[in-house]
Amino acid sequence: KDQTLYFAHFGGAAMDHSWPMGQMSFGETGPFLEAPVIVGETAKGSWGIWAEDAGRYPKFLYVRHSPNAFHVSWETMNLMPYDTKKEAASIIWHMNCFSGSWVAAGKPYRQWFQKKYAPLLMKRAPDWAKRIRVVMDGGIPGDPSYLRDLANRFDPETVLFQDWDLRAPSFDTELPDFTPRAGKPEAIAVCHEYGFKTMGYVNTYCVNVDSPSYKANNIGDYLLLRTSIFEPKPKMSDLKPGQLVYGDPLSRRWREFHAKQMAEFVKACGVDALYEDTGGCTFDLGNGVVEGL
């Protein structure tokens, strides 16, 4: 009961004895795993298991919580399609014990990741993004008194407000309609007055079949339905009005449409950044390697 596990689920999750009993899996499909590393902290020190995998092979983490112990296992999957594969190869997993907290156990993976990816990730990042230390995930507030009080407690340049509902339509409906919700542009402007930054959630590949925006932008002409390793690929003729479906990022016309639409959305509401939900392309769904990706 004196052990706590830490892993990269939605930015970071801590699992201790208060979690429900049973087995949970985290991976390429929800609930998502954002990095192949898990660390444990006890009163005597910490431990870590991680992979330094530049190939980004699909992985799943399984954690079983029993009355007296945590059980941890990792699964590495090979890339699809399989017809050209002659062999299956695993990756190297690292495990070690450390003096200190979970931070010490996570340091080796963090150092490897920064060395491998930080130059690429931060190359075009704006300077303000490098100063963010706190993400407020409860929406974008427009109350001056609240923002004034928060600015007295935190340096506003280190705080980013994240909003799940910047669109006028309800969540996961009427896509790809990105009309800003009433009052949001004004709230964003107030946040900017106090020096805070803002970010809004957008869905990168989902659409609602035959929604007004779907019809107006002729989405059906260039929507490539996403295949899946879990179920048969749907047919356009089988889709029902209003149905939420995933598109495939291989559609160049969709990518061009989405980029243009996001530029218009940012201009309309004034948000500083977008939380692009790329769930439609984060895991291997049968396309294999396309243009090196």
Side-chain angles (χ1 to χ4, degrees):
K1 290 187 177 181
D2 68 339
Q3 183 163 198
T4 303
L5 306 184
Y6 297 87
F7 51 98
H9 170 61
F10 269 86
M15 179 186 294
D16 58 20
H17 68 276
S18 66
W19 274 59
M21 296 291 170
Q23 179 169 294
M24 291 145 281
S25 63
F26 304 86
E28 304 291 304
T29 56
F32 295 106
L33 184 76
E34 293 150 11
V37 56
I38 184 170
V39 298
E41 179 181 281
T42 72
K44 299 179 180 179
S46 58
W47 55 266
I49 305 174
W50 70 98
E52 299 175 0
D53 174 26
R56 308 276 298 188
Y57 275 62
K59 304 172 190 66
F60 285 86
L61 167 67
Y62 300 93
V63 180
R64 181 170 181 80
H65 185 197
S66 64
N68 298 310
F70 284 120
H71 308 261
V72 176
S73 62
W74 285 98
E75 178 184 21
T76 305
M77 303 174 71
N78 277 261
L79 293 174
M80 295 171 69
Y82 303 123
D83 52 4
T84 60
K85 306 296 182 183
K86 304 299 182 184
E87 60 184 15
S90 185
I91 60 174
I92 296 175
W93 288 92
H94 303 262
M95 181 175 182
N96 210 340
C97 298
F98 302 84
S99 298
S101 70
W102 66 270
V103 176
K107 191 173 182 180
Y109 176 79
R110 183 174 186 268
Q111 290 178 327
W112 172 82
F113 186 90
Q114 286 187 327
K115 182 178 180 180
K116 182 69 180 179
Y117 294 109
L120 172 66
L121 294 174
M122 301 305 290
K123 183 177 180 180
R124 299 170 65 181
D127 289 338
W128 67 261
K130 302 172 186 178
R131 295 192 291 271
I132 298 299
R133 296 292 179 269
V134 180
V135 177
M136 306 283 281
D137 197 31
I140 296 175
D143 181 0
S145 61
Y146 169 77
L147 293 170
R148 190 180 307 113
D149 180 59
L150 192 66
N152 290 330
R153 299 169 184 266
F154 293 92
D155 179 354
E157 290 190 351
T158 67
V159 177
L160 173 71
F161 289 106
Q162 207 291 117
D163 199 311
W164 294 90
D165 292 303
L166 278 189
R167 298 190 315 124
S170 299
F171 197 83
D172 275 356
T173 67
E174 303 299 322
L175 289 165
D177 183 341
F178 280 90
T179 304
R181 178 166 295 193
K184 294 295 184 177
E186 292 79 7
I188 291 170
V190 176
C191 286
H192 289 165
E193 289 180 15
Y194 288 89
F196 295 103
K197 296 298 182 181
T198 59
M199 179 169 68
Y201 170 90
V202 298
N203 198 307
T204 314
Y205 295 108
C206 282
V207 299
N208 293 98
V209 178
D210 287 342
S211 66
S213 180
Y214 182 100
K215 292 180 178 179
N217 293 287
N218 300 312
I219 301 298
D221 292 346
Y222 47 92
L223 175 68
L224 293 179
L225 294 177
R226 189 186 71 171
T227 187
S228 172
I229 61 175
F230 304 109
E231 58 190 18
K233 184 174 181 177
K235 298 178 181 179
M236 291 294 290
S237 58
D238 295 334
L239 302 181
K240 298 178 176 60
Q243 181 178 346
L244 183 73
V245 297
Y246 277 88
D248 193 301
L250 283 179
S251 171
R252 180 179 296 277
R253 282 186 63 187
W254 169 264
R255 299 198 305 270
E256 293 171 348
F257 164 76
H258 180 72
K260 180 176 181 293
Q261 192 181 41
M262 290 303 97
E264 295 170 350
F265 183 55
V266 168
K267 184 177 180 179
C269 62
V271 73
D272 298 287
L274 297 177
Y275 177 149
E276 286 272 3
D277 186 344
T278 58
C281 66
T282 54
F283 45 100
D284 183 26
L285 295 165
N287 294 325
V289 177
V290 180
E291 297 179 355
L293 303 174

